[in-house]
Amino acid sequence: MKSNFSFSNKRIENILKNIKRNSVIVDVGCDHCYTSIYALKTKKAKFAYNIDINKKPLENGISNIKKQSLFLKTKNFIANGLQTNEIEKKIDFCVISGIGGRNIIDIIENANSDIKIKYFIFVPNNNEYELRIFLQKNGFLEKKTEYVYENNYFYQIMLVKNTKIKKNKLMKNINEKYFLLGKYKRNNKVLEQYISFLIKKYEEIKKKSNSNKNNDKIDLLNLILNKLK
């Protein structure tokens, strides 16, 4: 029997905005499986793989899926990222959310090469700059970046196309602004708040370290912020 499923989560809602209808998705680090449940119930997904490295969160997620009578539209298993042979279908969208940029890099570098993925949706909780450098060098094209503020955290939601063409060097038309902020839309109040947050962060680092290392970043962010206002 289906139970009522209603919750408000800006991060998941914005993740799903990037997913095309009737997609096959995989959620790496699925936790409670809310992303897959929401995607299946709104017809964004027709099938979902849910992966977690820990048994207990996955069991909780499977329980949530069964409550919504969606179990037959999912495959749920324990694995370390995408190091698995359990994925048989071609993946339209792979969601990796709530972990650091370096952990995302590790998952991509160690993924089973037989898994075919068209798009990734990354929501890192740190090291976005480092992640973007990796993406540019390894054949991943960031299509757009959405900004969400929820529960006292800023989230960058990155829609990334897997072009499969390794460059081993940075593209000439990519600049510092991109590595800091991604492919953002103008007229975004959350983006403005995030830039102000970054400026404050870099100024605090500068003060503590007594170093001018981040002066260029601070100047660039101030320039971008003034143009947005």
Side-chain angles (χ1 to χ4, degrees), residues 18-19 93 119-122 141-146 157-161:
N18 292 290
I19 296 177
F93 294 88
Y119 289 91
F120 289 88
I121 300 173
F122 298 130
L141 177 64
E142 188 170 353
K143 304 289 287 184
K144 66 177 180 177
T145 312
E146 301 286 346
I157 298 172
M158 304 160 57
L159 175 64
V160 176
K161 184 176 181 180

Side-chain angles (χ1 to χ4, degrees), residues 3-227:
S3 63
N4 291 330
F5 181 78
S6 177
F7 76 109
S8 177
N9 186 299
K10 291 180 182 178
R11 181 170 41 144
I12 293 179
E13 288 170 2
N14 278 272
I15 286 171
L16 295 192
K17 284 180 183 178
N18 292 290
I19 296 177
K20 296 177 182 178
R21 193 173 177 85
N22 292 322
S23 292
V24 176
I25 68 170
V26 55
D27 185 8
V28 179
C30 60
D31 199 21
H32 296 289
C33 295
Y34 290 147
T35 299
S36 292
I37 292 170
Y38 200 8
L40 289 165
K41 288 183 74 69
T42 57
K43 308 299 182 183
K44 284 283 187 170
K46 61 182 179 182
F47 191 88
Y49 292 95
N50 293 295
I51 304 172
D52 207 285
I53 197 169
N54 295 308
K55 183 179 179 181
K56 188 63 177 177
L58 184 63
E59 288 177 343
N60 291 336
I62 292 171
S63 175
N64 290 332
I65 288 168
K66 288 180 176 179
K67 288 176 183 177
Q68 301 303 316
S69 300
L70 295 171
F71 185 72
L72 294 180
K73 293 182 179 181
T74 67
K75 187 172 183 180
N76 315 282
F77 52 90
I78 295 171
N80 185 3
L82 292 167
Q83 299 178 50
T84 175
N85 295 315
E86 296 285 341
I87 297 176
E88 307 96 351
K89 299 176 183 289
K90 290 183 179 179
I91 302 300
D92 297 304
F93 294 88
C94 173
V95 179
I96 307 179
S97 176
I99 61 174
R102 290 173 185 168
N103 287 331
I104 292 174
I105 291 171
D106 184 65
I107 288 172
I108 301 304
E109 286 186 323
N110 292 288
N112 182 340
S113 60
D114 291 332
I115 301 173
K116 308 303 179 185
I117 299 172
K118 292 181 183 178
Y119 289 91
F120 289 88
I121 300 173
F122 298 130
V123 191
N125 56 24
N126 58 44
N127 296 119
E128 296 91 349
Y129 189 101
E130 187 175 340
L131 174 59
R132 287 193 172 100
I133 290 176
F134 169 83
L135 295 176
Q136 281 297 314
K137 288 183 176 180
N138 289 275
F140 298 93
L141 177 64
E142 188 170 353
K143 304 289 287 184
K144 66 177 180 177
T145 312
E146 301 286 346
Y147 281 82
V148 172
Y149 184 73
E150 187 172 48
N151 298 325
N152 297 316
Y153 284 97
F154 289 99
Y155 296 102
Q156 295 188 40
I157 298 172
M158 304 160 57
L159 175 64
V160 176
K161 184 176 181 180
N162 185 5
T163 69
K164 304 174 186 176
I165 303 171
K166 286 195 174 184
K167 298 178 177 63
N168 294 318
K169 61 181 180 180
L170 300 180
M171 293 172 63
K172 291 181 179 179
N173 63 334
I174 297 298
N175 55 30
E176 187 78 356
K177 180 172 74 171
Y178 163 72
F179 292 120
L180 285 166
L181 302 171
K183 298 288 185 69
Y184 60 84
K185 290 182 180 179
R186 301 181 72 87
N187 302 320
N188 186 325
K189 290 298 180 183
V190 178
L191 173 61
E192 292 180 23
Q193 294 167 5
Y194 178 70
I195 294 173
S196 297
F197 165 79
L198 269 188
I199 292 169
K200 184 178 179 181
K201 173 185 170 182
Y202 284 126
E203 286 177 340
E204 288 175 353
I205 292 172
K206 175 183 175 181
K207 186 176 179 180
K208 289 179 181 179
S209 63
N210 195 26
S211 167
N212 295 323
K213 181 180 177 181
N214 290 310
N215 278 2
D216 290 344
K217 286 187 176 71
I218 294 170
D219 291 343
L220 175 61
L221 289 167
N222 274 309
L223 179 64
I224 295 168
L225 185 60
N226 289 331
K227 287 183 177 180

